[in-house]
Structure formats: C-alpha cells, structure tokens
Amino acid sequence: MSNSPNKIYIESDAYAQELKRLRQISKVLDNAITITGTQVGISSDPILGLIPVGGDVLGLIFSLSLSSNQRR
C-alpha cells in the first residue's frame, strides 16, 4: 500500500534550516517595519531604495538568494 495515510515523512535538518532561512528573508522583505498601533507592515524595498547604491545591491542579493532557491 504505497498510498497509506499512516506514512510519516521526516524532513532532513538541512531542508528545515533552509526553509527557516527563507521564511526569515521573506519576513524581512515583506514586513520590515510595522506601523505602530496597526498590523500594517512596510516592506524593506522602499527603505533600501533610499540608500543610493548599497540599497540596490542588498535588494539584488535578496532577490538572487530567493531566485536561486526557487530553482532547486
């Protein structure tokens, strides 16, 4: 019975650590700053855009990191 619902899948430690890292990056990119008194978050992209060259480089690094993990 290969489709048994009682099978337990154990994720490898490397996969769990990678998923945790991706979730942390996603949280930083999506909700870097939360507006006080609300649950509305501001993404880090506009904030990084205020830094002339470094912000673009950091945004590129985050994007390439997420893109490379999507290819796997």
Side-chain angles (χ1 to χ4, degrees):
M1 299 179 115
S2 62
N3 293 332
S4 174
N6 295 331
K7 285 188 176 182
I8 298 173
Y9 294 100
I10 299 173
E11 298 177 356
S12 67
D13 289 337
Y15 177 75
Q17 290 175 355
E18 184 71 18
L19 188 59
K20 182 179 178 181
R21 187 180 70 81
L22 289 173
R23 285 185 178 155
Q24 289 173 343
I25 291 173
S26 175
K27 185 176 180 180
V28 168
L29 290 176
D30 291 340
N31 295 320
I33 298 175
T34 304
I35 298 172
T36 306
T38 68
Q39 294 182 351
V40 177
I42 299 173
S43 69
S44 63
D45 191 41
I47 296 167
L48 289 175
L50 296 174
I51 304 170
V53 176
D56 294 333
V57 171
L58 286 174
L60 179 65
I61 290 170
F62 283 137
S63 298
L64 289 176
S65 172
L66 291 175
S67 296
S68 68
N69 286 312
Q70 289 176 353
R71 292 185 65 182
R72 288 189 223 167

